[in-house]
Amino acid sequence: MMSEAKSTIVPTSVGIETVQSNPVVHPGGRKKKASRGVNGTAIMLVGLVLLFTGWALAVKYMEIPSYILPSPAAVWNALWSGLAVSPASPLGYYLPLWGTLKNAAIGLAIGSGLGLLLGSLMAESRVIEKLLMPYAFALQSLPKVAIAPLVVIWFGFGDGSKIAISALLAFFPMLINSFTGLRSVEPERIDLMRSLSASRFETYRIVKLPNAAPYIFAGLDMAVVYALLGTIVAEFLGAQQGMGVVITQAQAVTDVAGVFAALVILGAMGILLHGIVRGLEARVVHWADRGRK
């Protein structure tokens, strides 16, 4: 059995301090956690084997043309031809992938930062909420594919348009999730901070922001995928480098296997980025992770 850590709330002059005693962890706890990780990896590998087996059998026995659905072997050959080169080679996937991830990361930082800032302001002020929320929903309801050509005209065919569209797509998930999380604080906790003469910023930092952290990471998890998607959409419209350019060039010569290879790389990047966000969430919002377990 695992004994829970005991916590004591101690009021101070600037807020609330939580003192926790060291929990007694059963030695088998880590083994069970590792076993769950191994089981999850095994299930994922079995799923991949079944997927590729079904794919190969469908192509072979249903006689699907290669220009519609290439075989897994053809996709693997196209993938390997772009990976088995020097990272500095313009014929490989490394330089385009780096360009896409760089612009997506910058756009994610800008969009999620603005989303968190405006979400916090709207959660703190009803006036700001009524002023900005309708326009935020109106902006989100616009089809981004229709806005993308305007963004390219405004920011050019360089990295600026890719970053702008990436930030635009990453903005709304962070805005809504941070606003919802900050507004979901129990009134009793706010009253307690007021009784301790805490300032508004201290209440936000000590109570509201930790309470909203699971919501914020959920928004960040979606924003990562949307930022990558926005960068690819911008590269379709015009770029010199990027995975969107790789897909467009492969499509122009009817290299369907090359298109699938680029999609496999993007899918792998999405899984990797999702894992990074979840790992960061498990370290930062550790109390929510224990609650889920």
Side-chain angles (χ1 to χ4, degrees):
M1 298 292 293
M2 180 186 296
S3 61
E4 298 290 339
K6 297 181 179 179
S7 59
T8 305
I9 299 178
V10 180
T12 63
S13 59
V14 295
I16 301 175
E17 181 180 357
T18 302
V19 180
Q20 291 188 339
S21 60
N22 294 328
V24 179
V25 181
H26 191 276
R30 295 180 180 178
K31 293 182 180 180
K32 291 181 180 179
K33 184 176 181 181
S35 177
R36 287 194 297 267
V38 172
N39 292 336
T41 303
I43 293 173
M44 182 182 67
L45 293 177
V46 170
L48 285 175
V49 171
L50 293 176
L51 172 64
F52 285 109
T53 302
W55 180 1
L57 293 176
V59 171
K60 180 178 180 179
Y61 292 104
M62 297 179 64
E63 298 181 354
I64 302 177
S66 60
Y67 61 84
I68 296 179
L69 182 63
S71 65
V75 175
W76 169 254
N77 291 333
L79 182 63
W80 182 250
S81 65
L83 295 177
V85 296
S86 171
S89 173
L91 302 177
Y93 292 124
Y94 299 102
L95 291 179
L97 182 61
W98 165 250
T100 298
L101 291 179
K102 178 189 67 174
N103 291 330
I106 297 174
L108 173 66
I110 296 174
S112 59
L114 287 176
L116 178 59
L117 176 61
L118 292 182
S120 300
L121 292 176
M122 289 191 299
E124 291 294 321
S125 172
R126 296 284 183 179
V127 175
I128 297 178
E129 176 193 355
K130 293 179 180 180
L131 178 65
L132 297 181
M133 186 64 79
Y135 299 102
F137 277 99
L139 179 64
Q140 179 64 16
S141 65
L142 296 177
K144 303 305 182 292
V145 177
I147 301 176
L150 290 175
V151 177
V152 172
I153 293 174
W154 294 336
F155 293 92
F157 290 96
D159 293 341
S161 59
K162 285 72 179 172
I163 295 173
I165 297 178
S166 175
L168 186 62
L169 266 71
F171 167 75
F172 194 76
M174 183 62 72
L175 173 72
I176 293 301
N177 279 270
S178 60
F179 172 78
T180 303
L182 292 169
R183 280 287 176 88
S184 64
V185 182
E186 297 85 348
E188 294 79 7
R189 302 179 66 184
I190 304 298
D191 294 337
L192 176 60
M193 293 298 293
R194 289 174 180 171
S195 68
L196 296 172
S197 301
S199 66
R200 198 165 186 173
F201 178 74
E202 288 171 344
T203 303
Y204 172 84
R205 179 178 59 86
I206 297 174
V207 175
K208 292 185 177 182
L209 192 59
N211 182 82
Y215 295 85
I216 292 173
F217 274 98
L220 183 62
D221 200 4
M222 293 186 293
V224 166
V225 179
Y226 288 160
L228 186 60
L229 176 62
T231 306
I232 298 297
V233 170
E235 290 172 350
F236 284 155
L237 298 176
Q240 290 76 37
Q241 183 176 287
M243 294 303 296
V245 177
V246 173
I247 295 175
T248 303
Q249 292 175 346
Q251 182 184 8
V253 296
T254 324
D255 182 11
V256 182
V259 174
F260 270 77
L263 294 178
V264 168
I265 292 176
L266 292 176
M269 286 298 102
I271 294 174
L272 177 61
L273 293 174
H274 169 72
I276 292 175
V277 173
R278 291 301 300 271
L280 184 62
E281 179 184 6
R283 287 182 175 272
V284 176
V285 197
H286 50 80
W287 60 90
D289 185 63
R290 288 198 300 266
R292 284 194 297 267
K293 293 178 182 178

